[in-house]
Amino acid sequence: MDFHPTEEQAEAASLAARIFRDLATHERLTGAGDASDAELWKALTSAGLTAAVEEVGLLGLVLLLEEQGRATAQVPYAATCAYGILPVAAHGSPEQRARLLPALGSGEAVATGAFPARRAFTVGPDGRLTGTAPAVPWLRDATHVLVPDRDRALWLVRTDAPGAVTRPVETTAPWSAGRLTLTGAPAERLGGPDAYEAVLACARTAFAGLQAGVCAGSLARAVEYTSTREQFGRPLSTNQGVMLRAADAYMDTEAIRVTAYEAAWRVDEGLPAREHALTAAWWASEAGKRVVHAGQHLHGGMGADLDHPVHRHFLWGRQLDAYLGCGSELLAELGALISEGENA
């Protein structure tokens, strides 16, 4: 097991950090509201950071998404990579890869996914889908949606296809989310019977990496605030209670990071990773929730200010807490999976 990034992965993560640091500023994020930042998205795709995911693998994507989460940058990067580039590269036909990957890599096409499967979509004998997903992240930006049907077969649907209707919805985090309604919408099949579980494991790992970055950013803001804010003639950070709370948040953040790294490494190595992806997702849900609450609490009264940058980390962390399964759901699924393995 080796979590050391390759030269390509390290360079991509460093470039992403610079772009997010320069463009995902508090002022720009505030001005964007719940919409995506088109200029930032163009900068990422022009720098080749979207297309590079096919080369740097899932571990490389986790490193990149840490940087997005650290900045809470409002672009459909996680969704396009987790539900577009990686699934098409791994499960698409040669024709689908040739047609879709260049457009996804350049930003001309944007992907998202109606995950996890909730038995909402049915497919007719003609390959047309019907059903509704109440909240799909970054749907307002998407040109393609990866949709699992009731049998967990994967279908790729264009958002401008006949019978496809999207409507904006508000979620906790400003992710340009929307409600997807399909009424006999044409779709193309992606992958075989095992594709759904593989894509879900990759998505859970990727979004765990995003949560690691969200938590790291929240903690960094809390450390800066408590180190400069003084009470009774000394910084808040010198109080034992503050130090212990920050230390717990740091350990939780590292647990999210290392479990995401392990799951991603196993996927890239072609090893079984479903249990590891569930473990990473559980830590992202349970520990992530604790960290963003701690980050807000360590800011004292400032943490209650909805316009303070740390509040954005709180919103993202709580959204990621429930996305792709909350802690109790993930634990139940992990337990069932372990039990199946023991009885096999």
Side-chain angles (χ1 to χ4, degrees):
M1 189 181 302
D2 184 4
F3 297 160
H4 289 93
T6 65
E7 183 178 349
E8 292 78 10
Q9 290 170 339
E11 289 178 354
S14 177
L15 177 58
R18 290 199 301 271
I19 293 174
F20 287 130
R21 182 174 59 249
D22 291 343
L23 294 180
T25 62
H26 176 57
E27 292 73 24
R28 287 177 62 89
L29 291 169
T30 301
D34 65 349
S36 293
D37 188 329
E39 182 180 345
L40 175 54
W41 180 238
K42 183 178 180 180
L44 289 171
T45 55
S46 298
L49 289 175
T50 309
V53 171
E54 189 180 354
E55 300 297 328
V56 300
L58 184 55
L59 181 55
L61 176 58
V62 166
L63 295 171
L64 291 163
L65 291 181
E66 277 192 75
E67 300 303 333
Q68 180 184 1
R70 201 184 305 272
T72 59
Q74 291 171 203
V75 285
Y77 189 58
T80 292
C81 296
Y83 298 126
I85 291 178
L86 290 182
V88 172
H91 306 287
S93 66
E95 186 278 331
Q96 286 175 321
R97 292 196 295 269
R99 170 167 48 89
L100 295 169
L101 287 176
L104 290 166
S106 68
E108 178 185 350
V110 174
T112 188
F115 276 64
R118 301 293 187 190
R119 301 186 65 82
F121 293 94
T122 58
V123 58
D126 55 357
R128 293 176 178 268
L129 293 178
T130 297
T132 299
V136 179
W138 288 288
L139 182 63
R140 283 178 261 170
D141 300 323
T143 58
H144 296 76
V145 187
L146 193 60
V147 177
D149 66 20
R150 288 189 175 184
D151 296 322
R152 297 191 171 185
L154 291 183
W155 301 85
L156 202 58
V157 182
R158 289 192 60 93
T159 55
D160 60 358
V165 177
T166 64
R167 290 189 174 88
V169 297
E170 291 186 11
T171 60
T172 304
W175 288 356
S176 297
R179 177 185 179 91
L180 175 68
T181 302
L182 302 178
T183 309
E188 58 178 309
R189 181 72 182 270
L190 184 72
D194 298 329
Y196 171 78
E197 293 295 348
V199 172
L200 180 58
C202 282
R204 281 171 165 162
T205 303
F207 281 95
L210 187 66
Q211 181 75 301
V214 170
C215 292
S218 174
L219 183 57
R221 291 187 183 279
V223 168
E224 180 182 10
Y225 178 80
T226 57
S227 297
T228 56
R229 174 75 170 177
E230 292 189 358
Q231 281 188 348
F232 307 111
R234 62 178 186 172
L236 286 173
S237 60
T238 61
N239 293 323
Q240 187 178 41
V242 171
M243 289 189 285
L244 291 173
R245 192 75 189 277
D248 286 342
Y250 174 79
M251 294 304 296
D252 273 338
T253 301
E254 289 301 298
I256 301 169
R257 177 180 286 120
V258 73
T259 52
Y261 284 5
E262 182 181 13
W265 176 82
R266 291 183 67 89
V267 169
D268 289 342
E269 293 295 315
L271 300 171
R274 188 177 168 193
E275 293 178 12
H276 301 80
L278 280 165
T279 301
W282 182 84
W283 275 103
S285 174
E286 292 293 304
K289 179 168 50 182
R290 291 195 295 265
V291 173
V292 295
H293 274 269
Q296 196 170 39
H297 290 167
L298 288 172
H299 278 76
M302 294 299 294
D305 183 357
L306 301 186
D307 295 324
H308 195 281
V310 76
H311 187 66
R312 190 176 296 107
H313 292 269
F314 177 79
L315 294 179
W316 278 57
R318 289 313 308 261
Q319 183 75 23
L320 286 163
D321 161 36
Y323 183 56
L324 298 181
C326 66
S328 57
E329 291 177 309
L330 295 164
L331 201 59
E333 188 177 341
L334 179 59
L337 187 61
I338 293 172
S339 178
E340 288 175 8
E342 291 176 346
N343 296 328

